[in-house]
Amino acid sequence: MELQSVELKVEMVGIHEKRLRKSLSKLKGIEKVEVDANSHKVVVTGNAHRNKILRAIRRGGLKADFWSAQNDLLNAYAYGSLRFNNFNFF
C-alpha cells in the first residue's frame, strides 16, 4: 500500500501534542507525524486509513476534523498573509 498524507485540524493547547502522538502511536502504519501548533494543523503520513487516524485522535480526547480549504483561508486571515493583486488587506 502506498504512503499517503492526511491533513487534520486538531485543537492544540498545552500538552495536547504529547497526547496526540500517544494516540497515534497505537495505530499501525504511521510513518511520520508533523504538528504545526500555531495553525492547529497536523499531517499524518503512513498507510493507515484516514478515518482510523481521525478516530484515534478523538479517542485520545482531542477535538479533531479533516483539514479543509476553509482552514487555510482562516489561517491566512489570522496571520495577515492574505494578498490580492499585490495589496495586503490585513
Side-chain angles (χ1 to χ4, degrees), residues 8-13 36-42 67 75:
L8 302 135
K9 180 173 180 71
V10 181
E11 188 175 292
M12 299 297 293
V13 182
D36 182 349
N38 289 332
S39 64
H40 302 278
K41 186 174 187 175
V42 175
W67 191 264
N75 282 334

Side-chain angles (χ1 to χ4, degrees), residues 25-73:
S25 71
K26 298 172 186 172
L27 279 180
K28 290 181 181 171
I30 302 293
E31 298 286 326
K32 183 168 67 168
V33 178
E34 299 171 72
V35 177
D36 182 349
N38 289 332
S39 64
H40 302 278
K41 186 174 187 175
V42 175
V43 180
V44 179
T45 304
N47 53 18
H49 192 274
R50 56 187 274 139
N51 291 335
K52 286 186 178 182
I53 294 169
L54 182 62
R55 250 180 294 169
I57 294 170
R58 287 179 175 170
R59 255 190 239 122
L62 298 169
K63 291 181 182 176
D65 218 328
F66 294 115
W67 191 264
S68 70
Q70 182 181 7
N71 297 128
D72 286 327
L73 186 61

Side-chain angles (χ1 to χ4, degrees), residues 1-17:
M1 186 182 226
E2 186 178 317
L3 291 182
Q4 56 185 350
S5 292
V6 178
E7 295 181 339
L8 302 135
K9 180 173 180 71
V10 181
E11 188 175 292
M12 299 297 293
V13 182
I15 60 168
H16 284 182
E17 184 174 349

